[in-house]
Amino acid sequence: MRRFFVQGLTALLFTTSLLCATTELQTSSESNTTDINATKVAQEAAQKEQELKERKITTYLNKIHQLETQISDENVWVKSYASYLTSLKVKNNLENIRKRIKWLTKNAKTQSDFDELNGLISKESILASQIDKLKGENSAPFSELITPPQIDEVPEITNPFEVFNGLSLIKKMDAGFEDYKKKKENLAALVKLLREELSLYKKLYALNPDEYEEVYKQKETELERFERALDTMTVTLDVYQKRLEIAKININKGIEKQIFGLAKIGISILLVFVVFFLLKLVVKKYITDNERFYMANKIITFTNFTVIILILFFNYIENVSYLVTILGFASAGIAIAMKDWFMSILGWLVIVFGGSIHVGDRIRVDMDGMKYVGDVLDISLLRITILEDITLTSIMQNRRAGRIIFVPNNYIFTRMIANYTHHSLKTVWDGVKITITYDSNHKKAMHIVKEIAKKYSKGYTDITRKQLNKLRQHYSLKNTNVEPRIYSFIEPHGIDIEAWYLTNAYGTLTLRSVISTEILDAFKAEDDITIAYPTQKINLETKRYDPIVHNDELV
C-alpha cells in the first residue's frame, strides 16, 4: 500500500514537473517572439531614418551643386581667392622645405641625404618663383580688387584747351567709379550665394559631422573673408565717392571759369571786329585812291589781328615775366629755325612802311637765274604775289607768261627786285634798234627815227615830266631829260641806230611794235637808206699756187 502511495506520489511529482516545464517553455517562447518583433521594428525605424537622412544629404548636395554652378570659376573674386589659397599652400610647403633643408644641411651624412638636399634646394627655388608670380608671400586676399582706382591729381584748368582734358578726366573717374561699384555688387551677390552654400553645409555637418566638419569650417572661413572684403568695399566705396565728388567739383569750377573767360573774350573780339569793320567802311567811303585804300585796309586788318592777339595774350598769360624769360632762352633756337619767316616779316615791314613796292606796281624779280616781270597782286606778311605779264623778258627768256609768282618778302634783302612803277612814276624807257648799211644816209635815218619816236611817245613824255617833278620831293634827280634819245653805233654789219623813248610801263611791247613798223616803212620809202642784215661773200678761185720755199722750209 505504501508502495502504491509512493508510486502515485512519484507519478504526481513527475506530472507536476512536466506540467511546469511545459509552462515555462511556453512562456520563454512567447518572450522571445516579443523581443524579435521589437528588434525588427527598431531596425525598420533606423532604416527609414537613414534613408531620410540620405535623401536630405542628396538634396543638400544637389542644391550645393546648383550654387557652385552659379559661383562660376570665371568669377574674378573666386579666382582671386583661389590664387590666395594657392599662395598660402605654396608658402606652407616652402616653409616645410626650408626647415628640412636646414636640418639636412646640419645632419646630412649619407649620399641619399645629400641627394635629397639638392632636390629640396631646386624645389625651393621653384616654389619661391611661384610665390613671386602669385603676388608675393604677404599678399592679402582681394588686395587689388578691393583697392579703388587711383584718382589722378586734378590739374588746374588755365586755358580753354584744358577744358577737354577736364571733361575727359571726369569721364574717366566716372568710369572707374562705375567699375568699382560693379565689382562691389558682384561681390555682394557672391556673398549671398556663399551664405546659402554655408547654410547647406551647416545642415550637412549636423547630419554627418565626421564627413563634413572640415569642409564646413573651410566654407565658414571663406565666407568670413568674403564678408570682410565686402565690408571693406562698402566703406571704401563711400569714401571714394566723396573724393570723386570733390575732384569733379574742382574740375567743374575750372571749366566754368574758362567758359566765362571765353565768353568775355568772345564779346571783346566781337566788339573789336565791329569797330574795325566800321573803320573799314569809313576808309572805303572817304579814300578813293585804290592804292591808298588797299594800304589802309591792310593796316586796319593787321591792327585788328594784333589787337586780338594781345587780348588773348593778356587773358591767358598770367606771368608775363616768366614768358619773357622763356622766350629769351628760346629766342636763339627760334631765330635759327624760323630765320626765313622772321626775315620775311621784317621784309614786309620794310616794304609796307618804306613804300618801295605797292600793290599794282610792275616789278621784276631775279630768282634762281630766272627773271620774272609782273604786276603785284598782294603783299602779305610773308610774301609778295605777282601776276606774270607778257613782256620782252617773257618773249626773249622765259617763253612763258600768265603765271602767279610768289616771292618771299626776305628777297628784298638778298635778291634783285626792280620796280617799273615806283611811287608816281608810271613810265619806263624802252628802245628799238635797226641796222643800216654803211653807204646809207645815216643822218637822215637818225632824223626819221627821232621824229617817229617823238610822234608816238609824246604823251608819255609829258606825263613823265610831271611825274619826275613830283618825284623830286622824295629823291635827288639831276638828269630829267624826257625827250626821245637817238644813238648810232658802228657795228661789223652796218650802222646801228637805236631810239630810246618813254612809254607806259604796262604796255611797252605795244608801242615798240608800232614804232618798229613805222621805222621799217619809212626806211623802205627812202632810196638812200638800206636796211642791213648779216651777209656773207664767197670768193671762188680755180688757179693753184705752188708752195713758197723760204730758208729751205715750205711756207
Side-chain angles (χ1 to χ4, degrees):
M1 185 71 176
R2 186 180 180 180
R3 188 180 61 176
F4 284 114
F5 176 77
V6 170
Q7 290 179 349
L9 183 61
T10 303
L12 180 62
L13 291 172
F14 177 78
T15 303
T16 303
S17 59
L18 181 64
L19 289 173
C20 289
T22 302
T23 303
E24 290 177 359
L25 182 63
Q26 290 178 351
T27 303
S28 176
S29 176
E30 291 177 357
S31 176
N32 290 336
T33 302
T34 303
D35 292 340
I36 290 172
N37 292 333
T39 301
K40 186 176 180 181
V41 171
Q43 288 178 351
E44 289 177 354
Q47 185 177 1
K48 289 181 180 180
E49 184 179 357
Q50 183 67 25
E51 289 177 355
L52 180 61
K53 181 178 180 181
E54 290 178 355
R55 283 198 300 270
K56 288 182 177 180
I57 291 174
T58 303
T59 303
Y60 295 154
L61 290 175
N62 289 334
K63 290 182 178 180
I64 288 173
H65 178 70
Q66 293 176 0
L67 289 175
E68 288 179 348
T69 303
Q70 297 181 33
I71 305 171
S72 173
D73 291 340
E74 297 298 326
N75 193 305
V76 66
W77 293 98
V78 176
K79 284 191 173 184
S80 177
Y81 187 71
S83 176
Y84 170 72
L85 294 179
T86 303
S87 65
L88 290 180
K89 183 178 179 181
V90 173
K91 179 182 176 182
N92 293 331
N93 291 338
L94 184 59
E95 289 178 354
N96 294 331
I97 289 172
R98 286 173 176 170
K99 290 179 181 178
R100 181 62 179 170
I101 290 174
K102 185 177 181 181
W103 187 87
L104 288 174
T105 302
K106 296 179 179 179
N107 303 312
K109 296 179 180 180
T110 63
Q111 183 63 38
S112 61
D113 291 340
F114 287 106
D115 292 340
E116 182 183 1
L117 178 61
N118 294 329
L120 290 176
I121 291 173
S122 300
K123 192 173 182 180
E124 180 195 15
S125 62
I126 295 172
L127 291 179
S129 64
Q130 288 181 353
I131 288 181
D132 292 337
K133 292 179 181 178
L134 292 171
K135 305 173 185 176
E137 298 181 4
N138 298 321
S139 61
F142 322 122
S143 58
E144 291 186 0
L145 294 175
I146 64 176
T147 303
Q150 183 178 1
I151 299 178
D152 297 333
E153 184 179 355
V154 178
E156 185 179 358
I157 300 176
T158 57
N159 59 73
F161 297 103
E162 293 179 355
V163 170
F164 299 100
N165 294 333
L167 295 174
S168 176
L169 184 57
I170 290 177
K171 186 177 180 181
K172 180 181 177 182
M173 290 189 297
D174 288 339
F177 176 76
E178 291 298 327
D179 183 63
Y180 191 70
K181 184 178 179 182
K182 187 176 180 181
K183 287 181 182 179
K184 187 245 181 184
E185 292 173 354
N186 291 337
L187 180 58
L190 179 61
V191 167
K192 183 178 179 182
L193 294 175
L194 290 176
R195 286 172 180 167
E196 294 180 8
E197 185 183 30
L198 181 63
S199 66
L200 293 173
Y201 274 111
K202 186 176 182 180
K203 293 178 181 179
L204 289 175
Y205 173 68
L207 293 174
N208 192 350
D210 295 335
E211 184 176 354
Y212 293 101
E213 180 180 6
E214 183 178 357
V215 67
Y216 171 71
K217 291 182 178 180
Q218 290 178 355
K219 292 297 180 179
E220 190 176 24
T221 304
E222 179 180 350
L223 178 60
E224 288 177 359
R225 289 172 177 169
F226 277 97
E227 287 179 340
R228 191 181 304 118
L230 180 60
D231 293 339
T232 303
M233 285 198 74
T234 303
V235 176
T236 305
L237 185 64
D238 294 336
V239 176
Y240 183 62
Q241 186 175 7
K242 299 298 181 183
R243 292 176 59 197
L244 286 182
E245 290 176 356
I246 294 172
K248 288 195 287 186
I249 288 173
N250 293 332
I251 295 174
N252 289 327
K253 284 183 179 179
I255 293 174
E256 291 176 1
K257 181 180 178 182
Q258 291 304 315
I259 292 175
F260 182 69
L262 278 177
K264 290 195 301 182
I265 293 172
I267 295 172
S268 301
I269 292 176
L270 182 62
L271 291 176
V272 170
F273 271 118
V274 171
V275 170
F276 281 95
F277 177 74
L278 295 176
L279 189 59
K280 283 186 177 182
L281 292 179
V282 172
V283 168
K284 185 177 181 180
K285 183 177 181 180
Y286 292 101
I287 299 179
T288 56
D289 184 69
N290 290 333
E291 181 180 337
R292 291 183 178 179
F293 170 74
Y294 175 82
M295 289 305 302
N297 191 44
K298 277 284 184 180
I299 293 172
I300 291 172
T301 302
F302 178 76
T303 306
N304 186 14
F305 177 77
T306 304
V307 171
I308 292 173
I309 293 295
L310 291 176
I311 290 174
L312 296 174
F313 181 83
F314 286 108
N315 272 278
Y316 290 108
I317 302 299
E318 298 179 356
N319 192 344
V320 179
S321 61
Y322 176 75
L323 177 65
V324 171
T325 304
I326 295 297
L327 291 178
F329 283 109
S331 59
I334 294 174
I336 294 173
M338 304 179 67
K339 178 185 66 175
D340 292 338
W341 281 23
F342 284 135
M343 291 298 293
S344 293
I345 294 173
L346 182 60
W348 179 80
L349 294 174
V350 172
I351 292 170
V352 171
F353 295 101
S356 57
I357 300 173
H358 299 84
V359 173
D361 286 351
R362 170 154 293 191
I363 64 173
R364 189 192 81 182
V365 183
D366 294 352
M367 297 172 59
D368 301 326
M370 297 292 291
K371 295 180 176 63
Y372 302 96
V373 178
D375 302 330
V376 178
L377 300 178
D378 182 53
I379 303 175
S380 64
L381 196 63
L382 299 177
R383 63 191 178 187
I384 303 171
T385 305
I386 64 174
L387 174 62
E388 188 182 24
D389 198 5
I390 300 174
T391 60
L392 188 62
T393 302
S394 304
I395 294 173
M396 302 299 295
Q397 297 183 23
N398 297 342
R399 302 303 302 171
R400 293 287 186 278
R403 295 172 291 187
I404 301 295
I405 310 298
F406 300 99
V407 183
N409 291 338
N410 57 44
Y411 276 27
I412 196 74
F413 305 113
T414 58
R415 300 291 193 278
M416 168 61 184
I417 299 180
N419 192 343
Y420 293 92
T421 56
H422 177 59
H423 214 275
S424 61
L425 198 63
K426 304 299 180 183
T427 56
V428 293
W429 285 94
D430 192 22
V432 296
K433 180 178 72 172
I434 189 168
T435 305
I436 60 177
T437 59
Y438 290 114
D439 56 357
S440 298
N441 189 346
H442 63 281
K443 292 183 178 181
K444 184 178 180 181
M446 292 176 65
H447 178 72
I448 293 172
V449 170
K450 186 174 183 178
E451 292 299 322
I452 293 173
K454 277 185 176 183
K455 176 182 176 182
Y456 288 99
S457 65
K458 180 174 176 32
Y460 300 113
T461 300
D462 296 337
I463 292 173
T464 305
R465 186 177 289 108
K466 296 178 182 179
Q467 292 172 348
L468 290 177
N469 289 332
K470 293 182 180 179
L471 203 61
R472 280 196 182 94
Q473 300 174 5
H474 305 280
Y475 300 98
S476 175
L477 296 177
K478 295 181 179 179
N479 187 3
T480 58
N481 183 16
V482 295
E483 295 297 328
R485 302 175 189 180
I486 310 300
Y487 303 98
S488 61
F489 304 96
I490 298 175
E491 299 294 340
H493 301 290
I495 301 173
D496 284 347
I497 298 177
E498 294 194 12
W500 287 88
Y501 52 88
L502 288 165
T503 181
N504 185 2
Y506 300 97
T508 56
L509 289 181
T510 302
L511 190 58
R512 172 189 280 259
S513 177
V514 172
I515 291 177
S516 297
T517 303
E518 288 294 326
I519 292 174
L520 184 61
D521 292 340
F523 281 5
K524 285 182 177 181
E526 300 295 333
D527 296 334
D528 55 351
I529 299 176
T530 303
I531 299 175
Y533 48 86
T535 58
Q536 292 181 344
K537 183 177 181 181
I538 302 175
N539 296 321
L540 299 176
E541 295 184 2
T542 58
K543 185 177 180 180
R544 179 177 181 181
Y545 295 94
D546 294 330
I548 301 173
V549 178
H550 179 71
N551 294 332
D552 296 330
E553 293 182 0
L554 293 178
V555 179

